[in-house]
Amino acid sequence: MNILQTEDTICAIATAQGGAIGTIRVSGPEAITLTDRVFKPVSGKPLAERAPYTLTFGHILTPEGEIIDEVLVSLFRAPHSYTGQDSTEISCHGSSYILQQVMQLLIRQGCRAAGPGEYTQRAFLNGKMDLSQAEAVADLIASTSAATHRMAMNQMRGGFSRELAVLRDKLLHLTSLMELELDFSDHEELEFADRSELEDIARQIEQVIHHLVDTFSVGNALKNGVPVAIVGETNAGKSTLLNALLNEERAIVSDIHGTTRDVIEDTMNLGGITFRFIDTAGIRETTDTIESLGIERSFQKLDQANIVLWVIDATCAEEQYRQLADKILPRCEGKHLVIVLNKADLLSSADMDTAASKDAQFDRLKVALPDLPEDACVLSLSAKQKEGLSQLQKQLVDFAALPDLSQNDVVVSNIRHYEALSRALEAIHRVQDGLAMQLSGDLVSQDLRECLYHLGEIVGGTIETDEVLGNIFKHFCIGK
């Protein structure tokens, strides 16, 4: 899709199949004229002579006069429409045959079938919303929880944009002071701002950008799910645990070692929080090339996780712990670690007497394994029998500790925004360093301009290429 083809008139089915009502959106310079060619009102004037924001009842007709359907047509005139262009929305019965017939009639009259996200892209190009608001439309459609809905709604309503606008104003003020200093550098008697004031403004800017960058961990977890890596030796019961948590046979379970050779991911909602569980290949010494690649990916997923479930066979817990402690524990620093003593149903009655409670198990392991992290949580369960899962689920919710968000909270959840903010943060850090070291104003100004550029990337002020915009909008659904 070429983003410069905004003078085409486009059409698309904007509703999912299977509903009682279907909607076709038409937008572009000839949207009203082309709709008039296939639509005949039951009474009154054609659409071109009607006022905007009105509904008109009538029929969709073939060139031969055959009625395709009875419909309602909504009318919008530029610039007061979603795309900023003349637009119509045809509401007809939800039959896929009817919808396709209407689409074909419109295309024969001169419309072009819209590409993914082309309506929202036109809204951006016509100044109806900035790029961060446009991206929030896709997030709003994809929202699966109250938290993700609130994040997307806040961004679409311009909450994030307003935060960036305040930052931009402060940066422009700081830049103007620096530029004035440069312009009148030969007049030593003039002073527009001392360095302490400039440093104070730079510090305020840095704090806001730093805060926005820090919110990404929460925003990403809310949007994509809190990543939970399930690791451990082969046949410790990792896949059985995943299946038990999801309550479905998601992973193959077998007594054969090394069955799971690649990561398996799936999500579930616990306590209003989405968790992304990642079942990894069993960690062991192996000469099998494919299994070795799977084990390498296990460590990669462990590094990316917020929570680590280290599954250990309870019947040989101390042995398995010692074998993998030096491989797993160093990678768990800064993460929440849950040691899951699985297969508790296989423990002898004598063992159950001494290790029936979490506290007793923890104390026994702590004595036997002095390098057990102080903040590690130890739980006993039977994934096969689905016993003890509720305690694990509660622990996961406690570890997630995601805040309750209101629609006014600004949280970064888009990786593109996070990367742009991170680059802006690096630039403002250089500004602070330059001011502290009394560098010349031209050097500091360059870093200020770079900070402004990266903030502009987020809202679209500096994005001009077809390739970049096309990449952003290609993941939208057609009709939006």
Side-chain angles (χ1 to χ4, degrees):
M1 177 180 61
N2 187 331
I3 68 165
L4 298 180
Q5 293 179 337
T6 56
E7 294 307 307
D8 292 353
T9 297
I10 56 176
C11 60
I13 300 171
T15 48
Q17 290 187 2
I21 302 297
T23 300
I24 292 174
R25 309 178 81 181
V26 187
S27 181
E30 295 186 89
I32 300 172
T33 301
L34 297 183
T35 305
D36 261 334
R37 292 179 185 174
V38 301
F39 172 71
K40 183 177 180 181
V42 169
S43 62
K45 301 173 289 188
L47 295 174
E49 299 176 20
R50 291 177 182 262
Y53 320 119
T54 56
L55 284 174
T56 304
F57 175 68
H59 299 103
I60 297 293
L61 302 174
T62 66
E64 294 75 31
E66 179 186 353
I67 296 177
I68 299 297
D69 196 15
E70 293 182 341
V71 302
L72 282 172
V73 178
S74 308
L75 179 64
F76 307 90
R77 295 189 185 276
H80 305 295
S81 71
Y82 180 77
T83 61
Q85 299 176 310
D86 285 348
S87 301
T88 62
E89 292 186 0
I90 304 171
S91 297
C92 53
H93 292 95
S95 159
S96 59
Y97 171 79
I98 291 174
L99 290 167
Q100 290 300 328
Q101 287 295 305
V102 177
M103 282 289 293
Q104 289 176 27
L105 287 173
L106 288 167
I107 290 171
R108 287 187 199 134
Q109 294 301 326
C111 283
R112 171 172 64 80
E118 191 167 359
Y119 290 92
T120 305
Q121 187 182 81
R122 289 189 176 201
F124 163 69
L125 292 172
N126 290 326
K128 301 298 290 185
M129 59 180 71
D130 65 37
L131 196 55
S132 70
Q133 291 174 295
E135 289 169 300
V137 173
D139 289 343
L140 188 65
I141 294 170
S143 62
T144 56
S145 67
T148 53
H149 173 266
R150 281 193 291 266
M151 278 198 308
M153 184 60 71
N154 175 269
Q155 186 173 322
M156 194 177 75
R157 292 168 59 205
F160 187 30
S161 301
R162 286 191 293 273
E163 191 86 8
L164 293 176
V166 172
L167 271 178
R168 183 175 180 275
D169 287 344
K170 288 183 177 180
L171 277 166
L172 288 173
H173 178 59
L174 182 54
T175 303
S176 64
L177 292 175
M178 296 300 302
E179 297 292 346
L180 282 171
E181 184 179 284
L182 286 173
D183 291 342
F184 294 93
S185 57
D186 54 339
H187 296 271
E188 297 182 1
E189 71 280 4
L190 295 177
E191 185 178 271
F192 296 93
D194 59 28
R195 288 285 166 139
S196 62
E197 181 185 350
L198 298 176
E199 289 171 357
D200 182 59
I201 297 172
R203 182 170 59 254
Q204 294 175 29
I205 296 169
E206 189 273 341
Q207 288 174 347
V208 175
I209 298 177
H210 196 283
H211 169 72
L212 290 173
V213 169
D214 284 346
T215 65
F216 178 71
S217 59
V218 171
N220 187 53
L222 288 171
K223 182 178 178 179
N224 300 311
V226 179
V228 181
I230 306 175
V231 302
E233 282 201 25
T234 57
N235 265 24
K238 299 183 301 300
S239 296
T240 304
L241 178 60
L242 175 67
N243 291 341
L245 286 167
L246 299 174
N247 200 29
E248 65 173 289
E249 298 301 310
R250 181 67 176 82
I252 297 174
V253 176
S254 170
D255 292 333
I256 302 172
H257 288 269
T259 304
T260 303
R261 298 193 170 203
D262 202 352
V263 296
I264 299 172
E265 297 190 24
D266 212 334
T267 60
M268 73 174 297
N269 190 288
L270 294 173
I273 300 171
T274 301
F275 290 87
R276 179 160 45 90
F277 292 102
I278 309 161
D279 181 25
T280 64
I283 301 171
R284 64 168 179 167
E285 296 295 330
T286 180
T287 57
D288 186 296
T289 303
I290 302 299
E291 189 177 353
S292 295
L293 290 173
I295 293 171
E296 184 180 337
R297 289 187 180 181
S298 297
F299 286 121
Q300 292 173 355
K301 293 299 181 181
L302 192 160
D303 292 339
Q304 297 168 10
N306 290 3
I307 302 173
V308 178
L309 302 185
W310 180 3
V311 182
I312 296 177
D313 188 334
T315 63
C316 52
E318 294 175 19
E319 177 186 349
Q320 286 199 2
Y321 185 94
R322 288 194 180 95
Q323 287 176 343
L324 295 183
D326 61 334
K327 295 182 176 68
I328 291 178
L329 291 182
R331 295 174 180 266
C332 292
E333 292 185 10
K335 306 178 187 295
H336 294 293
L337 171 63
V338 182
I339 296 179
V340 179
L341 298 177
N342 190 29
K343 304 185 182 181
D345 55 309
L346 299 182
L347 293 173
S348 66
S349 58
D351 289 334
M352 289 298 288
D353 290 339
T354 59
S357 69
K358 180 189 76 171
D359 292 338
Q361 291 166 353
F362 185 84
D363 291 341
R364 191 181 76 172
L365 274 173
K366 195 169 183 180
V367 171
L369 308 166
D371 56 344
L372 187 69
E374 289 289 336
D375 57 351
C377 173
V378 182
L379 299 176
S380 175
L381 56 79
S382 170
K384 185 175 182 180
Q385 302 298 327
K386 297 186 178 179
E387 297 174 354
L389 291 179
S390 60
Q391 190 177 4
L392 174 59
Q393 291 171 345
K394 181 180 183 302
Q395 188 62 63
L396 288 170
V397 173
D398 290 344
F399 276 158
L402 296 177
D404 292 328
L405 300 179
S406 72
Q407 286 192 1
N408 295 321
D409 291 322
V410 177
V411 177
V412 177
S413 61
N414 185 306
I415 185 64
R416 189 184 71 83
H417 302 169
Y418 170 73
E419 291 174 348
L421 285 167
S422 296
R423 290 190 290 268
L425 186 61
E426 292 172 2
I428 200 64
H429 281 160
R430 291 195 298 272
V431 170
Q432 290 178 295
D433 293 340
L435 291 172
M437 293 186 292
Q438 299 290 312
L439 294 181
S440 64
D442 55 342
L443 295 176
V444 177
S445 291
Q446 177 58 38
D447 289 323
L448 280 171
R449 284 190 290 269
E450 187 172 334
C451 187
L452 275 166
Y453 173 84
H454 292 309
L455 293 180
E457 285 183 306
I458 297 172
V459 295
T462 58
I463 294 184
E464 299 174 353
T465 68
D466 288 15
E467 182 180 0
V468 174
L469 283 179
N471 184 60
I472 289 172
F473 286 102
K474 70 180 180 181
H475 301 295
F476 278 59
C477 53
I478 292 176
K480 197 63 180 178

